[in-house]
């Protein structure tokens, strides 16, 4: 038997051990390949979303590749530790260190070659479906199938280089241990897990710093970096120190520990958490990143929908000049001509507003509008008018999404224009009319007060003039072929191509453009999240399989002194469940804590719902992986019970 045949037989006989690793690697190759198929498609450049789509897919391939490198490196290191006894036997039989290195190198290259071939083959089978689904999700014209030679070459060369480098890296993991130490393998008695009080307190301090920075009023990129670093370090100390300390405290509770099989699984967990601290930390970070990314996209999608529903104005033309300006009249006439040529019934109204920023004193900005113009818009939309109020009274109207962002109703408001202070007592109202301005917050004052405030503005850019066009209410969200969407895209493109006096905004065009962008990120994120999810389950499966022989020996010994199969199943299930689900729960909590300030910084009010949806999806996937891993583990251990 030749040496390559020996390496091949080693892989074949350890198929069960390598299965999860090979499956995850093949899946990464397949996703990388399908993204490359999209990137090199000959028709992608001619599509409206082509540049953005290609950029997004390129970023996704880089993320997949970097994560694949870390995943393979970690997996190989775990495998090598589990094979110490095998290396010890080979050493006794006369194998030299360079021969063992060559054996490991050949095995890694063989597994990598199988992963590349199966990944590209499965990617080829699914590429047509991938192109079809991706164009439907992103709402692009259908891309025909083509023979992806460039994608195949890129994928094969990239992952061949990856597995080659990893194979060379693995040689550094092989320590020059004594034969006796190698033969003991993973069966060496474990020392009692201990905690370092200083490191435990440091973990608490780091997590507190990260939480405090995220809750700061003025969150900036530097703050995010500090929160990320302290949060990641604190999470590691949580698993390596704090969690062990919690289990030790639980062990001291006799009423809990000395009850049924609790003594068995609690004692075992103190060892397993300490041994698996790095793995649990890695799974938590991976799931938290995926959950935060998914939650962010879902929150932004919800925000885009809400902005559309809150806006009753189909088209808005904003300008700083005068309605008598010839250029303004020509552009307004063009908009009206296009609406009439499409046979659309519409209403229009000219409004003025004064932009006022409350950022130095408060936390948001608003625009000021005269009462008569607000009532005109209310009459056009069959809404409630402003009512009557005095010179020092005002109505604060907010769109539903702006109201969600507010931290409570204001009863009084002080503003200052050109050094002149004004105070108003307020009536609060949630009304879609406020979408007439970008902030969605509208301060309605009497006409006389508005004229007085306008006199305080020392330049023409302080007063924004708009003409709002209201179309009949539509059912559902706008699609690509809807008339309002087509018209909005046409007018917005015209507005960008010519030197316009004003600025055209279309609610359908804004919604559709944002929808396409987030649909692209969502589509990319789904596959990246799948990789993270499957890989995190693979990490856990590797550790269970590595510790299986030691656990089998322990449960066999316990069965001889009376432990039943049912009691063993309960104890093992609790331990596996802790390893599988604690990282998900910690990641969900981190996602909720981190995403809140980030979305608040972006003025997006939806946090809890998207995070819960994303975390629930990972929890459901993890539950499936848990059931599979538990079934295989219990079956293996049951075979050793007396």
């Amino acid at each position: 038997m030749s040496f390559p045949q020996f390496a091949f037989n080693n892989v074949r006989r350890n198929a069960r051990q390598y299965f999860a690793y090979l499956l995850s690697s093949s899946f990464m190759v397949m996703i990388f390949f399908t993204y490359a198929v999209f990137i090199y498609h000959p028709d992608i450049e001619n599509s409206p979303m082509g540049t953005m789509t290609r950029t997004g897919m390129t970023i996704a391939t880089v993320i997949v590749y970097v994560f694949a490198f870390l995943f393979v490196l970690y997996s190989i290191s775990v495998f090598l530790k589990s094979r110490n006894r095998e290396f010890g036997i080979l050493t006794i039989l006369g194998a030299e260190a360079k021969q063992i290195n060559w054996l490991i190198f050949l095995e890694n290259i063989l597994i990598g070659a199988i992963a590349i071939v199966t990944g590209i083959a499965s990617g080829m089978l699914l590429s047509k479906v991938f192109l079809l689904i991706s164009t439907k999700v992103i709402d692009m014209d259908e891309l025909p199938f083509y023979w992806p030679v460039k994608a195949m070459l890129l994928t094969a060369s990239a992952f061949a280089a990856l597995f080659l480098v990893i194979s060379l890296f693995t040689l550094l993991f092989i320590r020059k241990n004594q034969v006796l130490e190698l033969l003991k393998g993973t069966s060496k008695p474990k020392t009692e897990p201990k905690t370092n009080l200083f490191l435990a307190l440091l973990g608490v301090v780091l997590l507190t710093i990260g939480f405090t920075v995220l809750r700061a009023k003025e969150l900036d990129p530097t703050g995010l970096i500090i929160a990320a670093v302290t949060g990641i370090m604190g999470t590691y100390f949580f698993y390596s120190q704090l969690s062990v300390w919690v289990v030790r405290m639980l062990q001291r509770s006799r009423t809990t520990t000395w009850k049924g099989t609790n003594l068995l699984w609690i004692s075992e967990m103190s060892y397993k958490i300490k041994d698996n601290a790095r793995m649990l930390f890695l799974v938590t970070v991976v799931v938290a990143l995926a959950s935060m990314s998914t939650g962010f996209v879902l929150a932004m999608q919800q925000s885009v929908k809400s902005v559309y529903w809150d806006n009753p104005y189909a088209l808005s033309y904003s300008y700083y000049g005068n309605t008598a300006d010839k250029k303004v009249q020509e552009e307004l006439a063009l908009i009206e001509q296009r609406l009439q040529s499409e046979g659309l019934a519409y209403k229009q109204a000219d409004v003025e507003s004064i932009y006022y920023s409350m950022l130095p004193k408060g936390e948001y900005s608003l625009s000021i509008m005269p009462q008569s113009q607000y009532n005109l818009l209310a009459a056009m939309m069959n809404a409630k008018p402003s009512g009557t109020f005095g010179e020092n009274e005002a109505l604060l109207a907010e769109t539903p999404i702006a109201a969600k962002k507010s931290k409570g109703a204001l009863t009084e408001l002080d503003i200052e224009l050109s050094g002149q202070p004004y105070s108003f007592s307020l009536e609060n109202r949630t009304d879609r009319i406020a979408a007439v301005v970008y902030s969605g917050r509208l301060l309605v004052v009497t006409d006389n007060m508005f004229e007085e405030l306008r006199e305080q503005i020392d330049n023409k850019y302080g007063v924004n003039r708009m003409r709002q066009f209201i179309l009949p209410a539509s059912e559902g969200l706008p699609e690509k072929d809807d008339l309002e969407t087509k018209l909005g895209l046409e007018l917005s493109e015209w507005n960008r191509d010519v030197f316009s006096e004003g600025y055209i905004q279309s609610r359908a065009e804004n919604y559709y453009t944002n929808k396409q962008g987030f649909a692209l990120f969502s589509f990319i994120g789904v596959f990246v999240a799948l990789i993270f999810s499957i890989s995190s389950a693979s990490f856990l499966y590797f550790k269970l399989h590595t510790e299986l022989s030691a656990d089998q020996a322990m449960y066999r010994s316990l069965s001889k002194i009376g432990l039943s199969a049912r009691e063993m199943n309960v104890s093992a299930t609790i331990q596996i469940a802790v390893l599988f689900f604690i990282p998900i729960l910690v990641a969900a909590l981190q996602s909720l804590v981190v995403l809140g300030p980030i979305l608040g910084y972006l003025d997006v009010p939806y946090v809890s719902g998207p995070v819960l949806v994303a975390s629930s999806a990972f929890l459901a996937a993890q539950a499936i992986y848990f059931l599979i891993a538990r079934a295989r583990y219990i079956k293996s251990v049951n075979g050793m019970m007396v």
Side-chain angles (χ1 to χ4, degrees):
M1 181 173 60
S2 64
F3 209 78
Q5 287 177 322
F6 182 56
F8 174 78
N9 289 333
N10 265 349
V11 174
R12 181 173 58 84
R13 290 164 184 163
N14 289 292
R16 186 179 66 175
Q17 184 176 359
Y18 283 116
F19 176 74
Y21 165 58
L22 179 61
L23 181 65
S24 301
S25 299
S26 298
F27 188 76
M28 290 182 190
V29 174
M30 183 189 73
I31 297 301
F32 185 95
F33 174 71
T34 49
Y35 284 151
V37 168
F38 208 110
I39 292 171
Y40 289 110
H41 199 288
D43 294 344
I44 195 69
E45 291 185 359
N46 300 324
S47 60
M49 284 281 291
T51 302
M52 177 184 285
T53 303
R54 175 169 287 176
T55 302
M57 295 291 184
T58 302
I59 294 173
T61 56
V62 173
I63 293 174
V64 171
Y65 191 75
V66 171
F67 184 77
F69 181 87
L70 298 175
F71 169 79
V72 173
L73 187 64
Y74 175 83
S75 303
I76 291 296
S77 67
V78 172
F79 284 143
L80 291 179
K81 289 179 182 178
S82 67
R83 297 177 63 190
N84 279 343
R85 180 177 299 176
E86 179 185 336
F87 296 149
I89 294 173
L90 289 175
T91 303
I92 290 177
L93 294 175
E96 298 179 359
K98 64 180 181 180
Q99 290 177 310
I100 295 178
N101 291 345
W102 179 238
L103 173 66
I104 295 170
F105 181 81
L106 288 178
E107 289 180 9
N108 292 342
I109 292 298
L110 178 60
I111 295 172
I114 295 173
I116 292 172
V117 172
T118 55
I120 293 179
S122 55
M124 283 293 295
L125 293 174
L126 296 176
S127 58
K128 177 59 179 177
V129 178
F130 181 85
L131 290 173
L132 180 63
I133 294 176
S134 59
T135 51
K136 290 292 183 183
V137 172
I138 306 172
D139 209 1
M140 295 174 57
D141 294 332
E142 185 175 338
L143 298 173
F145 177 77
Y146 75 107
W147 191 251
V149 177
K150 290 184 179 179
M152 294 173 67
L153 292 175
L154 174 65
T155 304
S157 58
F159 277 89
L162 183 147
F163 283 107
L164 178 62
V165 172
I166 291 294
S167 299
L168 295 174
F169 257 102
T170 56
L171 302 182
L172 302 177
F173 296 144
I174 306 174
R175 295 178 298 177
K176 309 303 180 183
N177 294 327
Q178 298 295 322
V179 175
L180 181 59
E181 186 177 354
L182 289 173
L183 288 173
K184 288 181 180 180
T186 57
S187 62
K188 294 181 294 184
K190 299 177 182 178
T191 58
E192 183 181 5
K194 297 180 181 180
T195 56
N196 185 308
L197 181 60
F198 172 75
L199 294 179
L201 293 175
L202 179 60
V204 174
V205 171
L206 289 171
L207 291 174
T208 304
I209 291 174
F211 181 80
T212 304
V213 170
L214 287 172
R215 292 298 168 184
K217 288 187 177 181
E218 297 296 331
L219 185 64
D220 53 25
T222 303
L224 286 176
I225 294 174
I226 294 174
V229 173
T230 55
I232 290 174
M233 293 176 63
T235 302
Y236 177 75
F237 288 128
F238 166 77
Y239 284 116
S240 63
Q241 304 296 331
L242 288 175
S243 59
V244 177
W245 180 81
V246 170
V247 175
R248 294 293 296 275
M249 292 298 102
L250 188 61
Q251 285 179 310
R252 295 181 181 180
S253 174
R254 288 182 173 270
T255 56
T256 302
T257 305
W258 294 83
K259 183 178 179 181
T261 57
N262 288 359
L263 177 62
L264 176 58
W265 70 261
I266 290 176
S267 299
E268 276 297 297
M269 282 312 304
S270 63
Y271 290 94
K272 286 188 179 295
I273 289 181
K274 185 71 173 181
D275 292 343
N276 298 314
R278 275 184 284 185
M279 184 271 299
L280 292 172
F281 162 72
L282 187 61
V283 171
T284 300
V285 171
V286 167
V287 174
L289 287 174
S291 183
M292 281 187 275
S293 302
T294 306
F296 178 81
V297 172
L298 291 176
M300 295 302 295
Q301 287 177 328
Q302 181 63 33
S303 179
V304 167
K305 291 179 182 178
S306 297
V307 168
Y308 176 81
W309 287 121
D310 287 356
N311 188 2
Y313 312 104
L315 292 170
S316 176
Y317 178 83
S318 304
Y319 57 98
Y320 290 103
N322 194 295
T323 50
D325 291 348
K326 183 178 179 181
K327 184 71 171 177
V328 172
Q329 289 180 338
E330 290 176 354
E331 293 176 355
L332 287 171
L334 173 66
I335 297 174
E336 293 183 35
Q337 186 272 328
R338 288 295 295 117
L339 290 169
Q340 292 168 3
S341 65
E342 297 293 346
L344 293 172
Y346 64 91
K347 299 177 183 179
Q348 58 180 331
D350 289 317
V351 295
E352 293 181 335
S353 65
I354 298 173
Y355 174 79
Y356 182 77
S357 173
M358 296 178 62
L359 293 176
K361 298 180 180 179
E363 295 183 359
Y364 55 78
S365 60
L366 51 77
S367 294
I368 306 171
M369 176 181 285
Q371 185 180 17
S372 59
Q373 294 184 5
Y374 181 90
N375 290 335
L376 174 63
L377 293 173
M380 293 173 62
M381 289 181 277
N382 298 319
K384 181 181 176 181
S386 64
T388 57
F389 43 79
E391 293 296 316
N392 294 323
E393 296 175 329
L395 169 68
L396 180 61
E398 296 178 302
T399 60
I401 191 172
K404 285 180 179 290
K405 301 171 188 175
S406 300
K407 296 185 177 180
L410 288 175
T411 57
E412 294 183 355
L413 179 65
D414 297 325
I415 66 174
E416 183 178 314
L417 289 177
S418 300
Q420 179 67 35
Y422 295 89
S423 297
F424 299 97
S425 58
L426 300 178
E427 172 193 347
N428 290 268
R429 181 184 298 179
T430 300
D431 201 317
R432 295 168 66 232
I433 294 176
V436 71
V437 293
Y438 176 77
S439 66
R441 295 184 177 92
L442 198 59
L443 183 67
V444 183
V445 299
T446 63
D447 289 19
N448 291 335
M449 176 58 69
F450 183 81
E451 292 300 325
E452 182 178 339
L453 294 174
R454 182 161 55 179
E455 291 177 0
Q456 302 294 335
I457 306 298
D458 55 4
N459 61 74
K460 72 173 185 176
Y461 298 107
V463 179
N464 184 30
R465 296 174 174 84
M466 297 165 281
R467 177 168 294 183
Q468 303 292 344
F469 296 87
I470 303 174
L471 298 179
S474 59
E475 297 181 2
L477 295 167
E479 300 293 337
K480 180 180 180 180
D481 296 327
D482 290 352
L483 187 56
E484 183 183 340
T485 306
K486 289 181 177 180
L487 185 60
L489 290 169
E490 175 192 329
L491 290 174
S492 297
E493 185 177 356
W494 167 83
N495 189 221
R496 289 190 293 266
D497 291 342
V498 301
F499 183 74
S500 176
E501 185 68 21
Y503 176 64
I504 296 176
Q505 279 188 306
S506 164
R507 65 176 182 180
E509 187 264 344
N510 288 339
Y511 169 77
Y512 181 72
T513 302
N514 288 321
K515 173 195 168 186
Q516 273 195 311
F518 287 117
L520 172 63
F521 292 130
S522 178
F523 180 75
I524 293 172
V526 164
F527 287 96
V528 174
L530 274 175
I531 288 177
F532 285 175
S533 179
I534 293 175
S535 300
S536 65
S538 298
F539 291 150
L540 294 164
Y541 179 82
F542 296 156
K543 292 299 292 183
L544 284 176
H545 193 280
T546 301
E547 298 169 355
L548 181 58
S549 58
D551 290 346
Q552 284 176 329
M554 179 192 68
Y555 282 116
R556 180 175 177 81
S557 299
L558 290 173
S559 69
K560 291 180 180 180
I561 60 175
L563 183 72
S564 66
R566 178 183 172 279
E567 290 172 327
M568 181 278 296
N569 290 346
V570 171
S571 175
T573 299
I574 293 174
Q575 294 178 59
I576 298 173
V578 169
L579 294 179
F580 268 79
F581 293 117
I582 286 297
I584 302 296
L585 298 178
V586 174
L589 180 61
Q590 288 181 336
S591 300
L592 196 61
V593 170
V594 173
L595 265 188
I598 292 177
L599 292 174
Y601 180 75
L602 298 174
D603 220 13
V604 176
Y606 306 98
V607 180
S608 302
V611 170
L612 290 176
V613 169
S615 300
S616 298
F618 280 101
L619 186 62
Q622 197 77 341
I624 296 173
Y625 305 144
F626 162 74
L627 293 174
I628 296 173
R630 176 194 173 278
R632 295 175 66 89
Y633 181 88
I634 295 295
K635 182 180 178 181
S636 299
V637 174
N638 271 330
M640 301 297 294
M641 299 288 286
V642 175

